[in-house]
Amino acid sequence: MKTSIVIATYNKLEYTQLCIESIRKFTSQHDYEIIVVDNHSTDDTAAWLSRQSDIKVVFNTENLGFPKACNQGIEISTGDNILLLNNDTIVTENWLTNMLTCLYSSEEIGAVGSVTNSCSYGQSIQVPYRSVEEMHQFAAQFNQSSNPELWEERLKLVGYNMLLKKQVLDEIGLLDERFTPGNFEDDDLSLRIKLAGYKLYLCKDTFIHHFGSVSFRNNAEAYNKLLRTNQDKFLEKWGFDPERAIIHNGLVNLIEAAPNDFIRILEIGSGCGGTLLYIKNKFSRAEVYGVETNAFAAKVAAKVTSHVYLSLDEVWDLHKEGFFDVIITGNLGGLNEKNVENIKILQQLLHDNGQLIALAPNLLHYPTIKKMIAGSITPSDLQNWRLSDVEETFKAAEFMELEITGLVQEVFPQDQEFLQHLAEMAGLQTTKPYEIQNYLVKARKCNKDQSVKTLINNLLLQNDVQPSVNKLAKIDAEVTLSVIEDAGYEQKVELLNYIAVQFIEHQKSDLALPFLSRAFELDASHDPTLFNLGLAMYTQGHDQLALDWLSLISNKDAKLEHWMKQIEADLYAKSYEKHKLKFLLRRMENDVEGEASLAELLRMLGNGEVTIEQIYQVVENDMVEKSQLLTKLAVSCYEHDLDDMVFPFFEKALEFDTNNQDALYLLAHILYDLGEFDSARIYLDRVQDKNSNVTELMQKLSEVSAV
């Protein structure tokens, strides 16, 4: 069996040479041919290729683009298989062996791909190497043998390294040249393979190196324009946006189920079925269902599961209440009457204890606010969600255990000032509310009364205490209090105290307060309630409030009296330490015996005599040069091996001044020293004053990238 390896080139000879040399070295056990189609390179590529006796070469007199070049190579190929390979790759030991094993493991498989270090659509993995030599050592271990357990069916494969059966190409046709010069031709090819009834597999047992976008990265603006143009071409051809192939793997990974559990999962907005396929790979016994309003995309998703519907109403008509274990959606849609009603339907479709996981777009995301200011806002944008909208809507739909997390998008340096102005106008100390792109919502459908009763009984019987406390913590306290009231529990004051103590013992003292408050309302002279109120205040650091509650206890034993005296002593000591801390920070800020003050402060930090939070409070309330002072502390902690405190101080420094050039440079330098090169680049790019130190660090990072 012969494999024709087709490579399109345009300049970048050094990459092409590395690629072809690696093919020669690591593919000798196979019958293969190398076909290179050169798109009129202007460097020495053509001359070098002319000297290679083992390569079939097509020399174009102009740049015809990637799809056309690949087709030219396929047309002169003689292999049973076609391997489309980017010239900015380095292949590795066993690469082709493993891919061929997967490709021919079933007649249903039409094409396979590998994982790499740099790729979209979940085909990249974290890698430890920093040189080509280390890469080959890593790959030799990674590619040791073909492993069917590491083959994952996919909706599409990225075309940097794509191995296809020639007979499949003969059936579906070559690459679509409308996508010239490149991008989305692999989406299109994958889709045609899928619609022809074949499967695509990602070989997670096979790794090759990919430098990534070598041909396009030099002109980012033109590249982004090309992406938009070809995206429109794809939409025109297929009737849906290629984004409908997205995989919401982050949402799937939040599903609370074992890999072998039988579960029914419904995805709202399933697109072409990429997420449904990911679910089937992760949960072997799952039944997957999808709702997709675009008929063209739904047709593709039907290749993944026969349970694809064009509306939620169809699902409601066909499946009984409580049918699904999990419902997920990558976009709740807008806040409108229809979607609010849909959320209530989703609640009813879930069985008791069923899980809903969803993303809701944030109305206050700063790009949306920019559109408001510019007057370009759309009606759909204005229907995005505020945090309070999410809370109210889901509680109204009677979801329980509601968890909402803000998912922050990376902020470009040019937007930092705009964000800061927004926060200042709103009187906020942070820009985070405007950086949140989506709210991640996790909720459960529960029989409220029964669920709360079960959890309370678990606590009373000491069964599954930790999980029960965690679940009870997610239920609104008023719901639990109402259940206790309506259930007719005897000795309510004692029960309320018992629940409160469980929260205190599991480091959730703030959640104990509603139960203790209700117990106090029922019996204001109940000594255990007063004691627990004092304990709750003490564990939260409110020593004076703790002392106030404890002083109300009518029968104080010697142990309690001793504890109260200790709290009084602690209050005095904290007052002294706070003034001492302010004194040291003032001296550092004004550079009066600054080194001695810094040494004393580091000693106190190291010994636990003072906390980061106490320093934050004093800096915020009493210092002028807040950001600079915290930056100095961050660097000093790094120099004195107080590693846990370095990044919190930097984070707080940049919270006070997002454009602190010293903080940005020093943080980047420390990240570079620690080998966190990508993070270092992010902060260094925000440094506006490109002095010699900055330039030198940029050069070092550039050298690392080139390895």
Side-chain angles (χ1 to χ4, degrees), residues 528-566:
T529 300
L530 299 171
F531 178 86
N532 288 328
L533 279 164
L535 179 61
M537 292 294 102
Y538 181 77
T539 56
Q540 293 180 71
H542 305 309
D543 291 3
Q544 186 59 60
L545 288 173
L547 202 59
D548 292 342
W549 283 112
L550 295 175
S551 65
L552 297 177
I553 295 175
S554 55
N555 297 310
K556 301 182 184 71
D557 59 19
K559 184 181 290 187
L560 179 58
E561 293 281 7
H562 177 75
W563 184 31
M564 291 175 65
K565 289 180 180 179
Q566 183 61 49

Side-chain angles (χ1 to χ4, degrees), residues 248-265:
H248 292 293
N249 56 319
L251 301 185
V252 176
N253 293 336
L254 294 173
I255 294 174
E256 295 177 8
N260 294 322
D261 285 351
F262 174 77
I263 49 175
R264 293 191 181 105
I265 302 176

Side-chain angles (χ1 to χ4, degrees), residues 589-608:
E589 183 179 37
N590 294 289
D591 200 21
V592 177
E593 297 186 12
E595 292 302 320
S597 299
L598 175 61
E600 175 63 9
L601 188 54
L602 291 175
R603 184 195 66 76
M604 293 169 67
L605 271 169
N607 292 340

Side-chain angles (χ1 to χ4, degrees), residues 417 419-431 434 656:
E417 186 176 355
L419 277 168
Q420 198 61 45
H421 287 321
L422 283 177
E424 289 171 0
M425 286 188 291
L428 300 176
Q429 294 294 322
T430 176
T431 60
Y434 309 110
F656 283 122

